[in-house]
Amino acid sequence: MKKNISISLYWKCQLIGWSVAALYWSYIGYSGGRFNVFIGLFQFLSDVFVYILITHLYRNFSIRHKWQQLNLNQLLKRIIPAIFVMGLAYLLVTLIKSYLFRFWLAPDNVPAFMIFFRLNWATMLMAGIRLMAIWLLAYHLYHYAQREINIAKENARLAIIAKDAQLMSLSAQLNPHFLFNSLNNIKALVIENPKSARRAIDLLSDLLRTALYSGDVLLTTVKDELALVKDYFELEKLRFEERLHFCIEADDRLNNVLILRFSIQTLAENAIKHGIAKQKSGGLVSVKIVVVDNYINISVQNPGEFNMDEQNGGLGIKNLTERLQLQYKGKAAFNIINEAGGNVLSTILIPCS
């Protein structure tokens, strides 16, 4: 099998960059007249080879001393002297190369080296400093940008891991919270209505099977969440009897849409605890899920009055608010308001996409 030869980005840039510079110098020589193709080709190859050698030696030096790992201020303190050192290297190499070419082409008309040096050193030094400054800045800025991109990627990865861990922690809090509330309900039924208590235990076992054995699942379908809510309402109805009525309405097209696990159930618990339980005559808890303006609108309405200080201090609502912010990156919304007629409306808005 043939192996594909791959040239790294570094060598591609080296070859292309210095080749373009050498072609430009060849064009200057060509436009000046008396251009020899053979000599021009030799000049081109020698320019590319010599200047790649100088810059590659610098690259090896910087890697060996780990300059790519320095911050910007530390790097600039090293780059500025390096530009002048490499400019001097360019000057010496270019002077010697140019002098040897002149000596080879017209030995009779070549001045002494020191005279040639005095005539050309300033121009060549400035050209060398300019070229090496461009090369060094391009080289280090590329590596600096790559390092910043990698750091940003790593930070983003760590942020996702932290977010997932936080979501898992918040989700884990709900299981004992839910279990505690349910057991309290059954406790109240054991003495008053043993038959209802047995039915409540059956319902609780179904709820636990759904809620506690879902592992580390953070999202669930609307259909499964509503099934959990329905079982919860039935469990609570055994305690409240005719004081509790409930109604669940949802668009069938949303059955398989993923939402936060325990999101609707948290609102249902809140409606029972702060609504039905405080009303002598009880009332209706209504759950509706529809799509409005490209948002999934989840609303739970119950009789009662919303008390911000009391209800915002509860674990369920705090937990739900944090999970919505984390999961949907601030694009979801949660709100509770008092409505006319003595009702409370809790609403979750989740973007459809």
Side-chain angles (χ1 to χ4, degrees), residues 57-289:
L57 288 173
Y58 168 81
R59 173 180 179 266
N60 289 343
F61 176 84
S62 68
I63 291 174
R64 188 162 57 251
H65 291 82
K66 300 180 180 179
W67 285 11
Q68 284 84 353
Q69 299 176 16
L70 300 175
N71 63 43
L72 196 55
N73 288 334
Q74 292 173 325
L75 189 59
L76 285 174
K77 291 176 182 178
R78 290 162 175 78
I79 285 179
I80 293 171
I83 288 172
F84 286 98
V85 171
M86 292 182 69
L88 286 172
Y90 176 93
L91 166 65
L92 293 175
V93 169
T94 305
L95 273 172
I96 293 171
K97 186 169 69 73
S98 298
Y99 187 81
L100 289 176
F101 265 99
R102 282 171 171 75
F103 188 81
W104 177 36
L105 293 173
D108 297 334
N109 297 324
V110 177
F113 181 77
M114 292 309 298
I115 296 173
F116 181 77
F117 177 84
R118 285 196 298 271
L119 290 172
N120 297 285
W121 76 270
T123 303
M124 290 184 179
L125 178 61
M126 291 306 298
I129 290 174
R130 184 170 63 251
L131 283 170
M132 294 305 164
I134 293 170
W135 190 93
L136 280 168
L137 289 173
Y139 176 75
H140 283 293
L141 283 175
Y142 170 77
H143 282 284
Y144 184 79
Q146 285 294 106
R147 190 177 69 181
E148 290 300 306
I149 290 170
N150 290 335
I151 290 173
K153 286 180 179 179
E154 182 63 16
N155 288 341
R157 187 182 71 85
L158 293 174
I160 290 171
I161 292 172
K163 186 202 81 169
D164 289 345
Q166 191 174 356
L167 280 169
M168 286 299 301
S169 176
L170 290 167
S171 183
Q173 289 177 12
L174 291 178
N175 286 337
H177 176 255
F178 172 71
L179 178 60
F180 176 78
N181 286 346
S182 299
L183 287 174
N184 269 347
N185 293 343
I186 295 173
K187 178 183 174 183
L189 290 171
V190 168
I191 298 175
E192 297 175 5
N193 192 337
K195 183 178 179 181
S196 294
R198 288 194 295 272
R199 173 57 181 156
I201 291 171
D202 291 337
L203 280 170
L204 180 59
S205 66
D206 291 338
L207 286 170
L208 291 180
R209 190 177 297 111
T210 303
L212 300 182
Y213 297 121
S214 299
D216 58 356
V217 176
L218 299 174
L219 300 175
T220 187
T221 63
V222 168
K223 182 179 179 180
D224 289 343
E225 179 73 4
L226 288 180
L228 177 69
V229 170
K230 185 178 179 181
D231 284 347
Y232 173 74
F233 279 146
E234 287 189 21
L235 177 62
E236 291 287 10
K237 190 167 179 61
L238 291 174
R239 178 162 68 108
F240 290 103
E241 297 180 339
E242 294 304 314
R243 289 176 60 202
L244 172 61
H245 301 275
F246 63 89
C247 172
I248 299 175
E249 298 178 26
D251 189 332
D252 291 339
R253 293 172 297 177
L254 299 175
N255 279 345
N256 295 319
V257 173
L258 293 177
I259 59 173
L260 276 179
R261 186 165 164 250
F262 288 126
S263 55
I264 306 176
Q265 195 270 338
T266 298
L267 297 185
E269 273 195 61
N270 198 61
I272 298 294
K273 182 179 178 181
H274 298 284
I276 300 299
K278 294 184 177 182
Q279 305 296 314
K280 289 184 179 180
S281 59
L284 172 68
V285 178
S286 175
V287 178
K288 292 183 180 180
I289 308 177

Side-chain angles (χ1 to χ4, degrees), residues 22-36:
L23 283 172
Y24 172 75
W25 296 326
S26 297
Y27 172 75
I28 297 298
Y30 174 78
S31 60
R34 300 177 62 185
F35 181 78
N36 185 295

Side-chain angles (χ1 to χ4, degrees), residues 14-62:
Q14 281 281 65
L15 290 168
I16 293 171
W18 287 116
S19 295
V20 170
L23 283 172
Y24 172 75
W25 296 326
S26 297
Y27 172 75
I28 297 298
Y30 174 78
S31 60
R34 300 177 62 185
F35 181 78
N36 185 295
V37 175
F38 175 75
I39 294 172
L41 180 61
F42 190 76
Q43 281 269 35
F44 171 84
L45 293 174
S46 64
D47 285 343
V48 172
F49 174 78
V50 168
Y51 301 131
I52 284 180
L53 178 63
I54 293 173
T55 51
H56 187 64
L57 288 173
Y58 168 81
R59 173 180 179 266
N60 289 343
F61 176 84
S62 68

